[in-house]
Amino acid sequence: MATISDVARMAGVSTSTVSHVINGTRPVRDETRTRVEEAVRATGYRRDSLARALRRSRTDSIGLILTDVAEPAFAAMARGVEREAMGAGCTVLLANSGEDAELEARALEVLAERRVDGLLIAPVARSHREAIAAVIDQGTPVVLMDRLGGVRADQVGVENTAPMRELVLHLVAHGHRRIALAAGDTGVSTIAERRRGYLEALDEAGITADDALIVTGSGRADDTRERMLGVLRQPQAPSAVVASSTETAVGVLEAAKGLGLATPEDFAFATFDGFPHTDLFRPGITTVTQPAHEIGATAMQLLLSRIAGTLTSRPRTIRLEPEITYRESCGCPA
C-alpha cells in the first residue's frame, strides 16, 4: 500500500506539503498541487481516515436518529444532513427510532459508544429527554431537528402554528364552518403546534371548536383512517378536513375512499407536509410544504460549528418558513 512518503518522493516535495494538499490546511502553489495530485493518482495513495481522526481525537462520524426515514419529510432532512456531512468529510450513522422512546434511548447509547462527534435527533413523541440531556452533559454536541423543545440544545425546525392558522382561515374564507382536524399524536411538538394554529384560526373566525371534529391518536395512517370514518359519518359531517402530516393525510383520504367521498366535491381538503410530486395528483392537494432538505442541511451546519468550536454562544433555535400552495382540493381553481 502506498504511503504519504511515496507520494512525496514521486512529486519531489516534502511529506508536509503532501499533507497540506490532501487536507487543505495551507495554500500550495498550483504547480506543486498538480504534481502532488498526479502522484496521488499514480501511486494509488489513500488517506488513512481512521488514523487521522484518532490523532485529532475525532471519529469524523455523526449520529442521526429519525423516527421514520421512509416518511418523505424525514427522508429529505436526511439527504440535507448527508450533503453537508459529505462536504465536511464526515460519515453519517443512521438509526430509526420507530416513534419508540426505548428504541431512541438505545440508539443514543449505541451511537455514544461509537464516539460519534455529534448527534442530530428528531425526538419521538414521549422521548426520554433526560437521556438526551445526559449525552449533552458528557460533552457531545446535539442538535434537535423538526421536533423542538424539552432539551437545552441547538434546534432547527419549521414554523408550524402560523401556517396552520393561515390554512384554516383560507378554508373559512371558502365558506366552511365545520372544519375537522386530523391531528395525530399531540405529544409530538410539531403536531401540538399545528393543532394550536387550527384552534387559533377557529377562534379568530368566531367558530366554536368541536372536539368531535378533532382526530388524535397515534398519527399512523391506519389509526387515522378508522377514526376519520366516524367523523365523516356524522349527521353533521365536516365540510372541510385539514391533516397535520403526511400519515394523517393518507388516513383521511383512505377513509374518504372507503365511504365513496371525493374532494373537493364532498369536502375540501388540505394538509401539512403532503406527498412527493403533489402536482401530479388530481385534484391537486393544497399543501403546507416545509423546507425539509434545508432543515437537515442547516442542522448539520450548526452541529459542525459546535464540533469545530467556532460556535460557542448559547443554544440557538432556528425556525424556517414553510410554503403554502393552494390547489383544487380546497376549492381553489386549477
Side-chain angles (χ1 to χ4, degrees), residues 47-195:
R47 181 175 61 179
D48 189 339
S49 299
L50 178 58
R52 177 172 173 268
L54 291 174
R55 285 195 298 271
R56 296 179 298 127
S57 298
R58 293 263 298 273
T59 62
D60 288 334
S61 60
I62 302 296
L64 173 61
I65 305 176
L66 299 175
T67 59
D68 183 3
V69 75
E71 201 278 325
F74 284 130
M77 288 179 204
R79 289 194 294 272
V81 167
E82 187 176 41
R83 185 195 70 187
E84 296 299 318
M86 289 181 66
C90 293
T91 299
V92 177
L93 305 179
L94 173 65
N96 269 297
S97 63
E99 207 66 77
D100 184 315
E102 298 306 321
L103 286 177
E104 179 184 87
R106 177 59 182 153
L108 277 169
E109 181 182 347
V110 169
L111 290 169
E113 288 174 353
R114 288 181 172 269
R115 298 177 61 192
V116 293
D117 297 326
L119 281 163
L120 295 166
I121 308 170
V124 303
R126 290 155 191 83
S127 173
H128 297 312
R129 297 299 175 111
E130 64 276 8
I132 300 176
V135 171
I136 296 171
D137 290 342
Q138 291 166 7
T140 302
V142 170
V143 176
L144 300 188
M145 279 198 322
D146 184 58
R147 301 169 173 193
L148 313 184
V151 177
R152 184 176 172 76
D154 293 308
Q155 309 182 66
V156 181
V158 72
E159 294 290 350
N160 291 292
T161 303
M164 180 61 87
R165 182 174 65 246
E166 183 177 338
L167 197 61
V168 174
L169 288 174
H170 178 78
L171 293 171
V172 171
H174 273 292
H176 298 285
R177 304 288 293 180
R178 285 186 63 76
I179 303 171
L181 173 68
D185 190 347
T186 54
V188 176
S189 63
T190 51
I191 300 304
E193 290 173 3
R194 292 168 193 176
R195 179 178 180 274

Side-chain angles (χ1 to χ4, degrees), residues 3 20 88 149 185 222 268 270 277 303 305 307:
T3 67
H20 292 317
D185 190 347
D222 56 349
H277 311 298
L303 184 62
S305 295
I307 292 169

Side-chain angles (χ1 to χ4, degrees), residues 270-289:
T271 184
F272 220 105
D273 282 348
F275 311 89
H277 311 298
T278 305
D279 287 334
L280 299 179
F281 284 65
R282 290 293 178 269
I285 298 176
T286 292
T287 307
V288 181
T289 305

Side-chain angles (χ1 to χ4, degrees), residues 162-245:
M164 180 61 87
R165 182 174 65 246
E166 183 177 338
L167 197 61
V168 174
L169 288 174
H170 178 78
L171 293 171
V172 171
H174 273 292
H176 298 285
R177 304 288 293 180
R178 285 186 63 76
I179 303 171
L181 173 68
D185 190 347
T186 54
V188 176
S189 63
T190 51
I191 300 304
E193 290 173 3
R194 292 168 193 176
R195 179 178 180 274
R196 183 162 66 245
Y198 164 84
L199 294 174
E200 287 180 3
L202 295 184
D203 184 63
E204 185 174 334
I207 300 172
T208 301
D210 184 349
D211 288 341
L213 295 180
I214 301 176
V215 173
T216 55
S218 69
R220 295 192 310 271
D222 56 349
D223 184 35
T224 302
R225 180 188 63 241
E226 294 306 310
R227 294 170 187 265
M228 277 303 306
L229 285 171
V231 172
L232 293 173
R233 285 175 176 141
Q234 290 180 19
Q236 287 186 297
S239 62
V241 180
V242 181
S244 290
S245 66

Side-chain angles (χ1 to χ4, degrees), residues 292-312:
H293 188 280
E294 188 180 352
I295 289 172
T298 302
M300 187 65 207
Q301 292 165 3
L302 196 53
L303 184 62
L304 289 170
S305 295
R306 289 293 182 190
I307 292 169
T310 57
L311 185 62
T312 57

